[in-house]
């Protein structure tokens, strides 16, 4: 049994996406909706699976790892949308289909597959490829995550030369207080510039619960939508209360 409110919210968002796509003269088939389930229980992910959702987003490694293990074999594509700690990079890679938040050169080394030393057998080497986005920071605040615009091109080059990573394009979060449509237009422009060095990186991960229509108008191909579908997130459990 699925919660009628959940299926209603999902239907509303799907309708909103279809409307925004129509207005933009775009096909909904070119838009992937990632339902962000951070802080939500596995039971909610299962309900969404029953409702046909296959792309799920998580932003905290430990939580994502537990959910991915519990739901192994379900056909879910996990999208990692949070900041990746360097020492957890290989673990994040292990369960993720897409990593949306590549934001620094040191992380690329951690995410890439190891290259065989000369003479070493290649039989045991990981030949898998993981899709990724480079996250761009549209603010002046480094804590918001993402590479600064001046450092974007070198990071893109670094990803392109890393074995085992396939660059899909750019990801961004619209800054608070700014007009989302203008922010997304900038990301779209940066994406077009970047295709000079990465012709296949034509995807854009942008748009959340409050601003997905504006993102679709500016060419988003991957929406990351949480609360508009899931309802409010449970308050973060404070582990330090005892
Ligand atoms: C939580 C989160 C989202 C979803 O946010 P909502 O406002 O709940 O839609 C999208 N992207 C990232 C990076 C997030 O951390």
């Amino acid at each position: 049994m699925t919660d009628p409110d959940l299926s209603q919210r999902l239907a509303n968002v799907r309708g909103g996406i279809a409307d925004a796509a129509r207005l933009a003269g775009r096909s909904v088939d070119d838009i992937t909706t990632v339902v962000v389930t951070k802080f939500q229980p596995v039971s909610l992910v299962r309900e969404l699976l029953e409702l046909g959702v296959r792309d799920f987003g998580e932003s905290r490694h430990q939580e994502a790892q537990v959910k991915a293990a519990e739901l192994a074999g379900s056909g879910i594509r996990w999208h990692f949308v949070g900041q990746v700690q360097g020492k957890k990079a290989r673990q994040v890679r292990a369960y993720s289909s897409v990593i949306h938040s590549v934001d620094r050169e040191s992380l690329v080394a951690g995410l890439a597959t190891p290259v065989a030393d000369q003479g070493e057998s290649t039989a045991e080497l990981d030949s898998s490829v993981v899709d990724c986005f480079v996250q761009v920071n549209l603010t002046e605040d480094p804590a918001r995550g993402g590479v600064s615009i001046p450092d974007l091109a070198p990071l893109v080059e670094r990803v392109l030369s890393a074995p085992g990573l396939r660059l899909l394009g750019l990801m961004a979060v619209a800054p608070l207080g700014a007009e989302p449509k203008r922010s997304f237009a900038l990301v779209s422009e940066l994406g077009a510039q970047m295709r000079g060095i990465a012709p296949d990186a034509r995807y854009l991960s942008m748009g959340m619960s409050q601003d997905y229509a504006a993102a679709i108008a500016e060419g988003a191909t991957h929406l990351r939508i949480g609360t508009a579908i899931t309802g409010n997130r449970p308050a973060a459990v404070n582990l330090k209360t005892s």
Side-chain angles (χ1 to χ4, degrees):
M1 258 285 288
T2 53
D3 172 1
D5 294 339
L6 180 66
S7 50
Q8 188 59 58
R9 285 190 301 267
L10 180 63
N12 289 346
V13 170
R14 283 177 171 159
I17 292 168
D19 288 346
R22 200 176 310 113
L23 268 173
R26 301 185 55 203
S27 165
V28 282
D29 296 340
D30 295 334
I31 299 169
T32 299
T33 302
V34 177
V35 181
V36 180
T37 48
K38 63 187 180 203
F39 297 103
Q40 302 286 0
V42 170
S43 57
L44 185 108
V45 180
R46 286 191 203 280
E47 282 190 76
L48 287 162
L49 261 173
E50 279 184 41
L51 293 168
V53 176
R54 287 294 174 274
D55 291 275
F56 289 90
E58 289 287 334
S59 63
R60 303 187 307 166
H61 163 60
Q62 283 182 334
E63 178 183 347
Q65 192 178 41
V66 169
K67 284 177 175 163
E70 279 202 46
L71 294 160
S74 61
I76 289 179
R77 287 181 292 273
W78 292 103
H79 296 249
F80 197 83
V81 304
Q83 284 189 35
V84 182
Q85 271 182 279
K87 60 179 191 289
K88 301 293 184 195
R90 297 215 64 76
Q91 292 180 43
V92 171
R93 181 192 162 102
Y95 56 76
S96 296
S97 294
V98 188
I99 298 169
H100 290 239
S101 42
V102 175
D103 61 357
R104 58 197 188 277
E105 299 203 18
S106 62
L107 180 60
V108 176
L111 287 172
T113 49
V115 181
D117 289 335
Q118 282 210 321
E120 191 182 339
S121 160
T122 52
E124 287 164 33
L125 285 173
D126 182 356
S127 63
S128 69
V129 173
V130 69
D131 289 336
C132 67
F133 288 94
V134 165
Q135 181 180 355
V136 192
N137 188 349
L138 303 178
T139 75
E140 303 287 318
D141 177 5
R144 313 271 327 163
V147 65
S148 67
I149 292 171
D151 293 334
L152 174 60
L155 181 57
V156 164
E157 305 248 17
R158 183 76 184 78
V159 173
L160 288 175
S161 65
L165 292 180
R166 183 168 83 111
L167 182 65
L168 294 185
L170 300 182
M171 178 276 222
V173 175
L176 290 171
E179 170 64 55
K181 201 160 181 305
R182 290 181 61 180
S183 299
F184 295 140
L186 171 60
V187 180
S188 186
E189 168 63 28
L190 292 169
Q193 284 174 20
M194 198 189 55
R195 281 194 293 284
I197 50 175
D200 296 330
R202 62 181 181 280
Y203 300 95
L204 297 171
S205 168
M206 58 190 194
M208 312 188 352
S209 291
Q210 301 306 320
D211 54 22
Y212 69 81
I216 290 168
E218 296 301 333
T221 60
H222 290 66
L223 311 172
R224 307 177 314 271
I225 301 185
T227 51
I229 292 172
T230 62
N232 288 336
R233 284 183 273 274
V237 178
N238 186 347
L239 298 170
K240 289 182 190 144
T241 43
S242 55

